Amino acid sequence: MTTVFIISAPSGSGKSTLTRELLRRVPGLRFSVSYTTRPPRGQEQDGQDYFFISRAEFEDRLARGEFLEHAEVFGHYYGTHTSELERAAEAGADLVLDIDVQGARQLKQKIPGAVSVFILAPSRRVLEERLRARSQDSDEVIARRLRDAAEEIRNYSLYDYVLVNREVASSVETLVAIVRATRSRRDRMENEIRPILETFL
Ligand code: 5GP
C-alpha cells in the first residue's frame, strides 16, 4: 500500500533541503514531480524538478481529469498528475509531494490516509533573514512571500504534523521519524503480520 506524504511550507522555510535529505535517508520513497506553467528557474530540469508545460496544455490535461489535485500559485498553475501515484504504487514505494495548502486540502479529501506535514520557520524574522540570504528575490517579492507565508501559516490546522525548522539536522530526524512511524501503523503492517502469525499456528 502506497502512503502519500504531503509536505507544505511557506517559501524560505527550508522545505526543499529537508525533503531532499528525507529522500536521501529513507529507502522506498519517490518524489512526485508536478506539472507547472511557470517557467524554469536557474538549474531546474524539465522532468526532474517539474514538467514545464504551457497554460493551454495544462488546461487540456485538467479537463481530461489527469490531475489528482491542482492549484494556482503566484499566477501559475501547478498540479500532481495521477500517474505519479500509479508509478509509486507499481514500484511499491511511498510518494512524497511538495505541494501548497490548496493542494493539501484537495488530496486529504481524495486520499484520507495521506499524511501531511507543515514546515515553518521559527519566526517571521528568521523567515525574512532566510529569504534575504537566498538573495534570489527583490524586496517586493520578499514582501509578498512574507504576506503569503502568514496566510499559509493560518491554515496549519489542516495538517497532521507541524515541524518548526530551527535546525536542519534535527528537523530531518523528525521528518524521518514521521515516515518510519507511519510505516509501522497497523493497517500498513497487515501483509507482514499474516505470515508471521502463520508461523505461530
Ligand atoms: P515554486 O514555484 O517555488 O517551485 O513553488 C511554488 C509553490 O507551489 C510551493 O508552495 C509548492 O509547494 C507549490 N507546488 C508545487 N507543485 C505543486 C502541485 O503540484 N500542486 C500544488 N497544489 N502546489 C504545488
Side-chain angles (χ1 to χ4, degrees), residues 7-11 15-16 31-36 38-39 41 44 49-50 52 58 67 69-74 76-81 97-107 134 136 145 152:
I7 301 181
S8 301
S11 172
K15 176 181 52 177
S16 313
F31 181 70
S32 168
V33 180
S34 294
Y35 281 67
T36 186
R38 87 149 160 75
R41 274 197 305 246
E44 285 180 338
D49 299 284
Y50 283 105
F52 296 99
F58 196 99
F67 295 115
E69 61 75 33
H70 78 283
E72 200 159 351
V73 186
F74 311 137
H76 297 292
Y77 280 130
Y78 293 82
T80 305
H81 202 277
L97 300 109
D98 165 352
I99 60 175
D100 83 328
V101 169
Q102 308 168 68
R105 188 179 287 119
Q106 293 168 49
L107 263 191
R134 199 160 86 159
Q136 263 176 9
R145 289 195 193 282
E152 284 205 38

Side-chain angles (χ1 to χ4, degrees), residues 110-122:
K110 261 195 193 159
I111 308 173
V115 173
S116 56
V117 186
F118 189 77
I119 298 174
L120 89 162

